[in-house]
């Protein structure tokens, strides 16, 4: 096998991995407005911004004051992470998990297509129903489908076991902003206070959600 050679250096750029990492977080702290967030959630916010490249994301973040301790306690006790999308699950860094926690996405379960047809909903929403035996004390993450977040909230309102924390950052133009408002207003509407983090508006996605999970899994940056 031919040994690869480095191409001729033609651009001026930083190529030291640790330096890029450190300088990125320093830039975020310098440019983002973080004062309105819970003090214990600063590193969470910084990682979410790092995952999107958008410092103004901080203005849309809504972080329950109990989110960070609730999620960290659950993960240190071995709780699973339940994800609505494979890309979210794939973005979780295994080395950061405190107890080798299971990271599960049930979208590929054979039961999902039939449930989606029967209920007239998306596969993402149907897959969330399969979380029920695992929900109690889990950390759940919705980073793709607004229907999945709505479905989860409806399950919880109907009496499903309560997760320890919800990372609710679905992305999109139809239902994303509305599902996040429903998450933020769940305690007022249903009387059940579940710690959560969300990014209001249309922004969201797998990278943002996985970044949040990685921050919750381990405090160190």
């Amino acid at each position: 096998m031919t040994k690869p050679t480095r191409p001729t250096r033609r651009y001026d750029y930083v190529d030291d991995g640790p330096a890029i990492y450190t300088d990125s977080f320093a830039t975020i702290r310098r440019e983002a407005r973080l004062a309105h967030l819970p003090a214990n959630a600063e590193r969470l916010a910084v990682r979410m911004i790092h995952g999107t490249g958008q410092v103004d994301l901080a203005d849309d973040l809504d972080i329950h004051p109990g989110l960070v301790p609730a999620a960290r306690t659950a993960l240190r006790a071995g709780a699973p992470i339940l994800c609505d999308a494979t890309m979210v699950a794939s973005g979780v860094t295994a080395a950061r998990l405190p107890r080798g926690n299971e990271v599960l996405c049930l979208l590929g379960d054979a039961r999902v297509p039939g449930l989606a047809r029967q209920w007239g909903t998306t596969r993402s929403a149907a897959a969330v129903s399969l979380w029920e035996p695992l929900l109690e004390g889990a950390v759940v993450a919705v980073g793709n489908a607004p229907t999945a977040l709505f479905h989860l909230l409806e399950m919880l309102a109907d009496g499903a076991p309560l997760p320890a924390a919800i990372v609710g950052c679905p992305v999109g133009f139809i239902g994303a902003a509305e599902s996040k408002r429903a998450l933020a207003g769940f305690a007022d509407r249903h009387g059940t206070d579940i710690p959560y983090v969300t990014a209001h508006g249309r922004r969201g996605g797998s990278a943002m959600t996985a970044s949040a999970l990685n921050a919750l899994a381990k405090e160190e940056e």
Side-chain angles (χ1 to χ4, degrees):
M1 182 178 293
T2 303
K3 183 179 180 179
T5 59
R6 178 168 182 162
T8 303
R9 184 73 176 250
R10 302 177 188 275
Y11 304 98
D12 182 18
Y13 60 94
V14 179
D15 59 359
D16 180 274
I20 292 170
Y21 206 66
T22 300
D23 291 348
S24 293
F25 287 152
T27 299
I28 291 167
R29 287 190 166 89
R30 188 168 59 249
E31 296 184 6
R33 294 180 289 271
L34 304 172
H36 65 290
L37 300 173
N40 64 12
E42 179 191 300
R43 292 186 178 185
L44 167 64
V46 168
R47 271 200 169 268
M48 293 178 74
I49 293 167
H50 183 257
T52 63
Q54 300 170 329
V55 293
D56 67 327
L57 175 67
D59 301 330
D60 292 332
L61 289 178
D62 182 353
I63 305 175
H64 186 290
L67 180 277
V68 172
R72 290 227 172 103
T73 297
L75 292 173
R76 287 169 183 163
I81 298 174
L82 308 178
C83 305
D84 73 318
T86 302
M87 288 182 65
V88 175
S90 297
V92 177
T93 303
R96 295 185 68 87
L97 297 172
R99 291 287 299 277
N101 309 67
E102 276 195 290
V103 182
L104 301 171
C105 174
L106 302 182
L107 192 58
D109 189 284
R111 294 167 288 178
V112 167
L115 287 174
R117 286 192 300 270
Q118 179 184 342
W119 295 339
T121 190
T122 66
R123 293 188 179 192
S124 295
V128 169
S129 281
L130 302 182
W131 292 356
E132 187 157 0
L134 305 168
L135 260 182
E136 187 169 3
V139 174
V140 302
V142 178
N144 183 26
T147 54
L149 183 54
F150 275 128
H151 194 91
L152 172 65
L153 297 178
E154 289 169 341
M155 287 171 60
L156 297 174
D158 279 352
L162 301 181
I166 299 173
V167 178
C169 299
V171 63
F173 295 91
I174 307 300
E178 294 84 354
S179 67
K180 296 170 192 176
R181 286 199 297 269
L183 172 60
F186 189 81
D188 289 339
R189 182 167 182 174
H190 298 286
T192 303
D193 190 22
I194 305 170
Y196 67 88
V197 55
T198 193
H200 286 293
R202 294 170 170 174
R203 284 188 288 191
S206 300
M208 182 190 297
T209 305
S211 295
L213 292 171
N214 286 328
L216 294 170
K218 187 176 184 180
E219 184 175 4
E220 290 79 14
E221 291 182 344

